[in-house]
Amino acid sequence: MYTNAIIVERNFYFLFNQTATKRPAYNPDYPYAASNLGLIKAHGLCSDVRRLVVMPGNSDDLLDVVCYINYFVDATEATCPGTDMLMGYDSDTDLTFATRRVNAMFKSISRCLCLLLKEKLPRVTCLDIHHTGSSSRYYQFIPDILDVYLDQLTCVRYTGHAYLNTVGSKSLKSLTLLLSFFNSASRNPTISLGSLKKLVLQTDSQPIDWSFIESDEFGRVTCKTLESLTILADPGKLPEIPSRWNQVDLPNLKHLTIANKQVHEADIGYIFRSPLQSLELHGLPPKSLLYCQHDISKLHKLALDYQPRTFEKIAPQELFASTSKILACAAGINQVHLKLDVRGKCFKTPFNWANLTHLNVNN
C-alpha cells in the first residue's frame, strides 16, 4: 500500500475573524488547516506513506502547518525546545508581538519538528512543496524538511521563492524547481545532478546559464544519467546572454523542452551533441528556426508551442513564414506538433502545413 500524506494550510485565523483576540486551541479538527495525517496516524499507516505534500496557503503564514506537524508528532518541550511557547502563542492578544515571538523561536523549532516528522513518516520518497507566500519563515522550514529527507528521496517538486540551498542526492531521479526570485531572501540554489533522469527548471527573472548546476573543477557540467530536461522562463524579462552549453555534457539526453531565449544563438549547435529524440520549443518562430537549421532529422518528435504573447511580438506574416520554414525542415520526423493559443485572433496568412502531424488550436 502506498499512502500520500498531505498538509494543507488554508487561511490564517485572523483573516476570517478580525474581532478575535486569540488563536483557538490547536486540535486535529482545527478548520484552518486540513490534512489527512491524523487519519493516517489513527489507522497505523505512517510507515506506508511514500509522498509528502506541503501546501501552505496564501495567508503568508506557515504557523498552521507547523502547528499541525507539532500535533502530529506529539512534540513536547523535552523533545523539541520552544514547543510550549509556540503552542501557547494563542494567549497573546497582540498579533504583531506574537508573530515576532514565533519568528524568534522558529529557526530551532523548524528542524526539530522536521526530524520528528521523519521519525513518524520514515519511508517518504517523494516530496512536493508549493507556496505562494513570501513569509521569512519559509526561509528556514523549506531547507529543513528537504534536508532531513533528501538522502532517501527519488522525486522532489518545489514551487515558490528560491529559498533552497543544495538540492541533489544519489537517490534523486526527478527534480522540478519552479523558482521565484522576487524576494530579498531569494538565492540561486546549487543543484547536484547526481543520478538524475529528469530535471525541470523554471524561473521568473533569472537567466538559467548553468550556474545553478554543480560543475567540476574545470567548470564543466556532466550528467550521464539525465534523459529529460526542461528549461523555461519568462522570455520578456531575460537578457540575451551566453548560456554556456559548450560546457555541458549530457550524453544520454533524449527529451529537451526549452524557452528559446534561454539559449544564446551561438550555443544552439552544442545542444545537438546529445542524442535527442524529442525537442519542444516555446516562443517566437524566428528563434525556433535557428534550432531547425541544424540537423534535426534524427528526432522522433518536434513540438512548437506559441502562446498569446507570441502573437503580440511578431506580425502574422513573419510568424507563419518562419513556421512554414520550420515545418519544411521536419521531413522524416515521426511526430510534428504545433500548438497555437490564438485567443480569438483570426489570421488569413497563407500557411504551409507540410510535415505537420498534430495541430492544437486554442481559441
Side-chain angles (χ1 to χ4, degrees):
M1 178 184 294
Y2 297 93
T3 306
N4 292 338
I6 304 175
I7 306 172
V8 182
E9 178 194 6
R10 292 242 176 117
N11 278 297
F12 187 53
Y13 177 74
F14 288 90
L15 294 181
F16 275 94
N17 188 354
Q18 297 291 344
T19 62
T21 57
K22 64 178 182 178
R23 194 185 192 87
Y26 204 83
N27 62 71
D29 298 319
Y30 181 59
Y32 302 104
S35 175
N36 61 349
L37 283 178
L39 186 64
I40 290 171
K41 182 179 180 181
H43 287 81
L45 299 174
C46 292
S47 62
D48 294 316
V49 173
R50 297 292 188 275
R51 180 171 180 243
L52 181 61
V53 182
V54 183
M55 298 177 64
N58 295 325
S59 67
D60 231 11
D61 195 307
L62 193 61
L63 191 58
D64 284 323
V65 171
V66 175
C67 287
Y68 206 104
I69 293 175
N70 186 87
Y71 164 80
F72 175 71
V73 301
D74 298 320
T76 66
E77 189 67 21
T79 58
C80 193
T83 298
D84 287 351
M85 185 180 295
L86 175 70
M87 301 309 291
Y89 137 77
D90 65 300
S91 62
D92 290 296
T93 57
D94 183 344
L95 177 60
T96 303
F97 175 70
T99 302
R100 286 201 299 266
R101 292 180 66 190
V102 172
N103 281 333
M105 73 178 86
F106 193 81
K107 186 174 182 179
S108 60
I109 292 177
S110 173
R111 184 168 184 83
C112 179
L113 288 178
C114 289
L115 288 169
L116 292 174
L117 182 65
K118 185 180 179 181
E119 290 181 10
K120 288 285 187 179
L121 307 175
R123 302 176 70 183
V124 170
T125 57
C126 186
L127 181 61
D128 201 335
I129 301 175
H130 300 253
H131 76 83
T132 56
S134 57
S135 172
S136 61
R137 299 187 195 113
Y138 290 109
Y139 182 84
Q140 187 64 38
F141 176 77
I142 290 171
D144 282 345
I145 194 168
L146 180 61
D147 184 58
V148 299
Y149 276 112
L150 189 56
D151 287 342
Q152 66 192 59
L153 294 175
T154 60
C155 173
V156 171
R157 179 179 174 85
Y158 174 79
T159 303
H161 286 283
Y163 294 141
L164 306 176
N165 296 319
T166 299
V167 184
S169 68
K170 293 181 179 179
S171 63
L172 197 61
K173 304 300 180 186
S174 176
L175 175 62
T176 298
L177 298 178
L178 311 180
L179 303 174
S180 173
F181 289 86
F182 290 114
N183 185 281
S184 59
S186 301
R187 59 188 179 276
N188 285 356
T190 299
I191 301 171
S192 176
L193 293 179
S195 56
L196 271 182
K197 289 184 175 294
K198 179 181 179 180
L199 174 63
V200 178
L201 282 176
Q202 178 174 325
T203 69
D204 55 17
S205 62
Q206 296 282 84
I208 298 172
D209 61 354
W210 297 99
S211 60
F212 282 73
I213 314 297
E214 193 174 71
S215 58
D216 62 20
E217 58 184 313
F218 303 106
R220 292 192 60 82
V221 174
T222 303
C223 183
K224 296 181 178 180
T225 59
L226 194 67
E227 297 179 356
S228 177
L229 173 64
T230 298
I231 300 179
L232 302 172
D234 185 339
K237 299 178 181 178
L238 294 180
E240 292 274 11
I241 63 170
S243 41
R244 294 181 55 235
W245 276 86
N246 60 324
Q247 296 292 313
V248 178
D249 184 18
L250 304 174
N252 287 301
L253 185 66
K254 297 178 176 64
H255 308 283
L256 176 64
T257 300
I258 199 161
N260 297 306
K261 201 171 181 180
Q262 285 283 29
V263 177
H264 195 270
E265 180 177 346
D267 288 337
I268 290 177
Y270 293 106
I271 290 176
F272 292 94
R273 295 183 302 184
S274 299
L276 291 180
Q277 298 177 3
S278 172
L279 178 61
E280 182 173 334
L281 302 173
H282 294 246
L284 300 178
K287 289 288 186 180
S288 299
L289 182 58
L290 295 175
Y291 290 81
C292 297
Q293 289 173 344
H294 295 271
D295 183 9
I296 60 174
S297 61
K298 295 181 181 179
L299 293 178
H300 297 169
K301 177 182 177 181
L302 174 66
L304 307 175
D305 188 350
Y306 300 162
Q307 296 301 314
R309 185 176 298 177
T310 303
F311 300 95
E312 298 171 2
K313 292 179 174 293
I314 184 172
Q317 294 83 356
E318 184 182 358
L319 185 148
F320 288 112
S322 296
T323 304
S324 296
K325 292 178 181 178
I326 293 171
L327 295 178
C329 298
I333 299 178
N334 293 336
Q335 296 184 36
V336 182
H337 296 244
L338 175 60
K339 181 178 179 181
L340 299 172
D341 192 338
V342 297
R343 299 292 172 90
K345 295 181 181 295
C346 181
F347 302 104
K348 298 181 180 180
T349 306
F351 187 67
N352 183 1
W353 302 97
N355 301 318
L356 187 65
T357 63
H358 296 73
L359 176 63
N360 183 343
V361 179
N362 183 3
N363 197 27

